[in-house]
């Protein structure tokens, strides 16, 4: 539903909320009550998809969305590791975009976080306009998590999704940083004002990709009167709130299976010299690869002209392009 949301135009009328595909009733209500925030939700969804495709660009599953299929395909409707990543990055994207919109003054409902103020122990002045991550996280919790809560949060899948949604938001929280600006004669930094800021989204994506690589396979277990997810392999140390968890092993993503939303790796560009997953051996699943010479247009012999522009020539360079059979 986030992929669908990311592709619509602006959301400025209550009517638009009704028309958005894939939202559940409680989300439509939230959409109507928070119209001005919805553009950030849309931007957050876009950000999440772009980041997912960047982080997975060299892998068999490359996070591509298929228009005709349930968003991201069945791989994500099943409780796989890939689904864990998609849920985490999506809830992080929403928290991130809403937080940014708050700080930039776009929204009436929220602004900067002014609770961080005064002089810090390190001697700098807080600007009084820190990123309001608490608001962004709370909005993401209510808008994104409501889907699972309405299903009755005790199904294994709901537990998995809620856990990964939270892990996504934690990836922002644990990478918050302090940014500063110097004031004084010619940048002497006599006075420094600082604020707490969200990390670049690329860093969040990278952190979650590492969590994907180390994700824990879990199974539901009765704990007291409720259910919880515990590691399937008792020898593994329990996962933390920041780790990703999944319930089912993933397919190998080698062959196309449109019904499951798996595109297969035929035609994908691979790296002949790499032994990793982006290498032709692994990416093409042992089927071999084609090699073609392609001409690449590049800018070259760039010269700086006084003043002030750079002029380049167009050069053609022959490169070998390998694609999976
Ligand atoms: C992902 O791979 C498929 C082929 O398996 C390709 O058609 C698609 O363009 C790729 N998507 C991205 C975002 O790289
Ligand atoms: C291919 O893989 C090798 C070895 O991992 C690496 O050094 C090289 O930069 C890669 N080439 C491309 C085009 O990514």
């Amino acid at each position: 539903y986030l992929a669908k949301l990311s592709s619509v135009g602006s959301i400025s009328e209550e009517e638009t909320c009704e028309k958005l595909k894939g939202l559940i009733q409680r989300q439509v209500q939230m959409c109507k009550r928070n119209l001005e925030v919805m553009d950030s939700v849309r931007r957050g969804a876009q950000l999440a998809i772009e980041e997912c495709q960047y982080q997975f660009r060299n892998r068999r599953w490359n996070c591509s969305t298929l228009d005709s299929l349930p968003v991201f395909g069945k791989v994500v409707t099943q409780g796989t590791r890939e689904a864990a990543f998609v849920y985490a990055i999506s809830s992080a994207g929403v928290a991130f975009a809403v937080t940014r919109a708050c700080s930039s003054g776009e929204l009436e409902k929220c602004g900067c976080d002014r609770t961080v103020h005064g002089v810090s122990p390190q001697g700098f002045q807080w600007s009084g306009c820190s990123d309001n991550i608490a608001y962004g996280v709370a909005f993401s919790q209510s808008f994104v998590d409501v889907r699972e809560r309405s299903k009755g949060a005790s199904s294994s899948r709901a537990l998995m999704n809620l856990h990964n949604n939270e892990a996504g938001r934690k990836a922002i929280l644990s990478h918050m940083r302090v940014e500063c600006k110097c004031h004084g004669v010619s940048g002497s930094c006599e006075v420094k004002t600082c604020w707490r800021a969200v990390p670049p989204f690329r860093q969040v994506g990278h952190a979650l990709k590492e969590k994907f690589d180390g994700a824990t396979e879990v199974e539901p277990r009765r704990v007291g009167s409720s259910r919880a997810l515990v590691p399937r392999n008792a020898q593994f140390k329990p996962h933390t709130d920041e780790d990703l968890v999944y319930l089912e092993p993933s397919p190998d993503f080698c062959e196309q299976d449109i019904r499951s939303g798996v595109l297969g790796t035929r035609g994908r560009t691979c790296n002949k010299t790499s032994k990793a997953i982006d290498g032709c051996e692994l990416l093409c699943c042992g089927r071999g690869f084609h090699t073609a010479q392609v001409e690449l247009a590049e800018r070259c012999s760039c010269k700086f002209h006084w003043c002030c522009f750079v002029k380049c020539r167009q050069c053609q360079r022959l490169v070998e392009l390998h694609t999976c059979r």
Side-chain angles (χ1 to χ4, degrees):
Y1 74 99
L2 281 171
K4 283 182 184 132
L5 196 52
S6 76
S7 60
V8 298
S10 78
I11 303 165
S12 53
E13 289 168 26
E14 293 196 1
E15 238 177 70
T16 327
C17 298
E18 302 270 5
K19 287 190 200 133
L20 289 174
K21 290 215 181 76
L23 295 192
I24 64 167
Q25 198 49 41
R26 298 262 303 274
Q27 286 178 314
V28 174
Q29 285 162 6
M30 275 197 78
C31 173
K32 288 181 179 172
R33 267 186 278 120
N34 297 278
L35 269 182
E36 59 155 25
V37 191
M38 290 311 289
D39 245 1
S40 314
V41 173
R42 186 174 58 86
R43 229 173 305 140
Q46 249 162 12
L47 206 57
I49 292 169
E50 282 164 20
E51 188 57 30
C52 180
Q53 294 186 342
Y54 175 81
Q55 294 295 338
F56 286 82
R57 66 199 179 286
N58 293 328
R59 299 186 55 102
R60 287 180 186 166
W61 180 76
N62 64 2
C63 199
S64 50
T65 52
L66 276 181
D67 293 340
S68 58
L69 285 168
V71 176
F72 299 111
K74 209 167 166 191
V75 178
V76 169
T77 54
Q78 292 168 343
T80 58
R81 199 187 267 264
E82 286 74 20
F85 184 88
V86 166
Y87 276 76
I89 196 89
S90 302
S91 79
V94 170
F96 182 92
V98 171
T99 301
R100 274 293 178 76
C102 291
S103 313
S104 67
E106 275 172 51
L107 306 179
E108 263 171 38
K109 286 205 166 120
C110 62
C112 301
D113 177 0
R114 303 195 183 282
T115 60
V116 192
H117 60 87
V119 177
S120 80
Q122 293 89 348
F124 58 74
Q125 180 73 37
W126 287 108
S127 77
C129 185
S130 289
D131 275 342
N132 198 340
I133 185 63
Y135 188 90
V137 161
F139 190 88
S140 167
Q141 269 164 350
S142 38
F143 187 80
V144 181
D145 289 4
V146 71
R147 297 179 77 80
E148 315 306 327
R149 303 214 182 278
S150 67
K151 278 186 233 159
S154 62
S155 82
S156 307
R157 221 10 240 288
L159 288 175
M160 170 183 154
N161 294 348
L162 285 171
H163 178 96
N164 294 321
N165 286 350
E166 192 58 31
R169 295 182 287 258
K170 286 262 159 51
I172 305 183
L173 285 165
S174 63
H175 290 89
M176 289 297 285
R177 50 197 207 166
V178 175
E179 286 181 358
C180 298
K181 199 164 160 181
C182 284
H183 312 269
V185 217
S186 56
S188 63
C189 222
E190 270 163 68
V191 183
K192 199 157 97 169
T193 52
C194 305
W195 58 93
R196 293 207 346 120
V198 290
F201 201 64
R202 177 59 29 95
Q203 196 181 343
V204 177
H206 182 74
L208 287 175
K209 175 64 174 23
E210 303 219 308
K211 295 295 184 190
F212 169 90
D213 291 331
T216 309
E217 186 172 7
V218 291
E219 59 188 11
R221 181 95 40 88
R222 280 216 94 74
V223 178
S225 62
S226 60
R227 276 147 63 90
L229 298 175
V230 298
R232 190 174 277 265
N233 186 335
Q235 271 140 34
F236 289 174
K237 70 173 175 14
H239 51 273
T240 70
D241 288 353
E242 297 179 19
D243 293 325
L244 298 186
V245 301
Y246 64 98
L247 294 160
E248 296 166 58
S250 305
D252 62 16
F253 299 112
C254 283
E255 299 298 332
Q256 190 176 64
D257 176 5
I258 290 296
R259 263 202 345 207
S260 313
V262 174
L263 294 174
T265 64
R266 228 165 275 273
R268 289 279 302 276
T269 305
C270 59
N271 181 334
K272 193 179 167 185
T273 50
S274 168
K275 293 268 170 276
I277 188 67
D278 63 335
C280 292
E281 188 54 35
L282 283 177
L283 191 69
C284 309
C285 307
R287 293 185 307 259
F289 53 92
H290 299 288
T291 300
Q293 304 274 342
V294 290
E295 263 188 22
L296 213 60
E298 278 183 341
R299 281 148 52 94
C300 59
S301 333
C302 296
K303 286 213 177 74
F304 181 81
H305 288 257
W306 192 264
C307 181
C308 291
F309 62 96
V310 177
K311 218 173 161 180
C312 301
R313 288 193 326 161
Q314 277 273 0
C315 298
Q316 305 293 332
R317 193 162 64 99
L318 267 185
V319 291
E320 282 199 327
L321 190 69
H322 309 288
T323 50
C324 293
R325 276 178 197 276

